[in-house]
Amino acid sequence: MTQVMIPRTLLRDPDRMGGTPAGDCLRGVPVVENGKLRHLRPGAPEGPAPLILPPLTEAHCHLDKCHTIYRMGAVAGDLKQAIAAQRADKQHWTADDLRQRARRGISEARAAGTRTLRTHVDWGDTPEAPLAWEVFAELAADTPDLTLQRACLVGIEDYADPDFVRPLVARIAADGGVLGAFVHGQDRMIDGIRALFRAASEAGLPVDFHVDEGLGDLNGLEAIADAARDVRFNGPILCGHAVSLMDRAPDDVARIIDKLAHCGASVCALPTTNLYLQDRRSGTPDRRGLTRLRELRKGGVPVLTASDNIADAFCPMGQFDPMAALHLAALGAHLDPPMADWLPMITTDARAALGLPVQMVEDLDVGDLMTCAVEDTNALVAGRAPLVQWRDAAMRHS
C-alpha cells in the first residue's frame, strides 16, 4: 500500500501514530480501521509519499462582494475609496447576481480543498437582514459537504443603539449566525464593543471583528480585549486584520497581546487585501499590511490567515484558497520553516477560532482527508500541487 506523510502538528497524538520521522512529518504505510487512519507502519525511506492533512478552513471572506471588479473599471486606492466603490456596486446585488457570484466563490474554495468557510455579510442601516443573508442560507443548504457560516458585518457604533441590537441579535441567533462588526476608531466604538459582547453573551453567539484595518493610531484591538474581560465573555472571539499593531511600540504590543491571550481571542491576518490596500501613497509602500503574527503566536494568541476579498473593490486579484493565503503570509511575515508549524492557521486552529470542533487527521474518515503529491510541507505551502480528496476505496474497507 502507498506510503504517506502526515504533518506532526495535524495529529492528535503524533507519538502514537508510528511511522518514521521525516522532517516535520511522520512517514509510513497507513493502517485504516473503521474508516479512519489509526497508525503508520514503517516503510521504505524513499519513494512517493503524498502528504495527508484535514480539509482547509477559510476563516474570513466576503461572498457578497466577490467577483465584482469586472464591472467597476479601474479601482485602486485606500480602504476608504474601496468602501465607497463597493457601496456603489450594491445596486447590482440582486438575488441572481449574489447567487451566481457566491456559487463561483464556493466552487473555487472547494476546489482548493476548503470544507469550512465563514463569509461576512454587509448588513446595512437597519436591523433587517439583507438579501445576501437569505441567499447564502440557500447556498449553505445546497452545499452539504461545506460548513458555511454567516457573520453579519455591522458598524460597531450601531451596537450602541438598543433598538438596533435587539432585532439584529434575535435574527442572528435564530439563524445560527455570528455577531460581527467593523471597528475602525468610530466615536462610539467602546460603547458599541461592550454592547456587542453583552448581547453575544446573552444569546450564546460567537463574535467576529474587522478591527484596526489600517496603519496609524487605531487601537480597537485592545478595546475588544478589555470589553471581553469586563463582560466575562467566554465564547469564540475572532479579530481580523489588526494591521495597526505594526505601528505600536514594543511595550504596547506586548500589553495588547497579553490581553488578547487572556480573553481567548484569535487573530486572522488577511495578507492579500491588506498588502494591497495599506500604506497607499505616491510611491512604493514601505510598511507591511500585516499584523504581528510571530509576536502574537509567541504570546499565546492563536493566529490564522484567510483569503478575505477576491476580485472586488478591496483587491482586484486574490483567490478562494487558504493555502495561497498562508503562502503569502509566510512571505510577508517571514514565517520560517518548518512549515508544519503554520498549517494549523488554515486547518485546526482556524476551525477552533470559528467555534467548531477541531478536526485532526485521526478524527476524520479517510475519504474526507486531503492529499497532496508533494515531497514536503514547504512544497505544500508553495502550492506546487493541488489538494485533492483522499478517496482510496481499498483503504476505506481495509
Side-chain angles (χ1 to χ4, degrees):
M1 187 175 290
T2 303
Q3 292 191 78
V4 299
M5 292 195 298
I6 308 174
R8 293 177 62 90
T9 54
L10 303 182
L11 287 164
R12 192 169 295 281
D13 192 349
D15 292 336
R16 298 188 61 176
M17 179 54 64
T20 304
D24 53 7
C25 297
L26 293 175
R27 176 188 174 106
V29 178
V31 177
V32 177
E33 298 173 356
N34 298 321
K36 290 182 167 55
L37 200 160
R38 298 299 190 192
H39 187 68
L40 292 177
R41 289 192 284 104
E46 298 179 352
L51 273 166
I52 301 297
L53 64 159
L56 306 186
T57 292
E58 181 69 87
H60 182 126
C61 72
H62 295 265
L63 289 174
D64 55 355
K65 298 181 175 80
C66 73
H67 296 300
T68 53
I69 193 65
Y70 74 94
R71 62 193 180 205
M72 292 184 186
V75 178
D78 60 13
L79 179 64
K80 184 177 180 181
Q81 290 172 294
I83 291 172
Q86 199 71 63
R87 183 180 293 119
D89 184 70
K90 287 186 177 181
Q91 64 179 307
H92 302 292
W93 290 16
T94 65
D96 286 343
D97 174 69
L98 287 161
R99 193 175 293 113
Q100 180 269 327
R101 291 187 291 101
R103 279 179 176 158
R104 178 178 174 183
I106 289 171
S107 177
E108 292 168 359
R110 292 183 70 260
T114 301
R115 295 297 179 269
T116 304
L117 182 150
R118 175 179 287 180
T119 182
H120 298 273
V121 179
D122 275 20
W123 209 256
D125 299 325
T126 66
E128 287 73 31
L131 179 61
W133 187 263
E134 310 284 359
V135 171
F136 296 167
E138 298 172 11
L139 294 181
D142 291 342
T143 319
D145 66 339
L146 178 78
T147 298
L148 177 61
Q149 289 188 342
R150 292 171 293 164
C152 66
L153 182 54
V154 178
I156 193 61
E157 67 275 14
D158 287 334
Y159 283 95
D161 178 359
D163 292 334
F164 188 99
V165 169
R166 280 192 295 269
L168 171 72
V169 173
R171 179 60 189 269
I172 302 301
D175 292 347
V178 179
L179 210 55
F182 176 69
V183 179
H184 197 76
Q186 296 98 322
D187 289 342
R188 302 194 68 188
M189 179 185 78
I190 293 177
D191 291 342
I193 292 171
R194 291 180 180 276
L196 183 154
F197 272 118
R198 287 193 295 268
S201 185
E202 292 171 3
L205 292 172
V207 298
D208 193 312
F209 296 94
H210 285 58
V211 55
D212 298 346
E213 189 178 353
L215 297 162
D217 188 22
L218 294 168
N219 196 14
L221 199 60
E222 188 167 16
I224 288 168
D226 288 341
R229 176 201 61 207
D230 294 345
V231 174
R232 297 184 180 181
F233 185 76
N234 59 7
I237 305 170
L238 182 52
C239 298
H241 299 290
V243 176
S244 67
L245 272 186
M246 281 296 185
D247 276 344
R248 292 283 161 187
D251 288 348
D252 294 332
V253 170
R255 181 187 71 252
I256 294 168
I257 288 175
D258 184 64
K259 289 183 177 183
L260 290 169
H262 278 90
C263 76
S266 300
V267 173
C268 186
L270 302 157
T272 306
T273 300
N274 288 154
L275 286 170
Y276 186 74
L277 280 184
Q278 299 305 319
D279 202 25
R280 283 265 173 175
R281 59 176 99 185
S282 58
T284 302
D286 61 6
R287 302 304 313 281
R288 297 187 179 192
L290 287 169
T291 192
R292 293 189 177 273
L293 285 170
R294 303 205 303 178
E295 294 87 343
L296 284 158
R297 174 178 256 192
K298 185 177 180 180
V301 178
V303 293
L304 324 175
T305 190
S307 300
D308 200 10
N309 296 91
I310 308 298
D312 62 21
F314 296 82
C315 184
M317 297 161 283
Q319 53 194 305
F320 282 97
D321 184 350
M323 193 68 74
L326 178 56
H327 181 189
L328 187 54
L331 297 175
H334 295 168
L335 306 183
D336 296 328
M339 294 314 297
D341 288 352
W342 303 103
L343 288 173
M345 293 175 70
I346 55 171
T347 55
T348 53
D349 285 352
R351 288 261 311 177
L354 300 190
L356 298 169
V358 173
Q359 293 178 335
M360 309 295 277
V361 167
E362 303 99 314
D363 301 330
L364 293 160
D365 288 345
V366 293
D368 295 325
L369 293 169
M370 309 305 295
T371 181
C372 188
V374 289
E375 63 273 16
D376 56 29
T377 56
N378 295 329
L380 172 70
V381 175
R384 292 181 188 151
L387 285 176
V388 296
Q389 209 152 355
W390 194 29
R391 294 194 178 279
D392 188 327
M395 289 183 180
R396 265 188 181 277
H397 300 103
S398 61

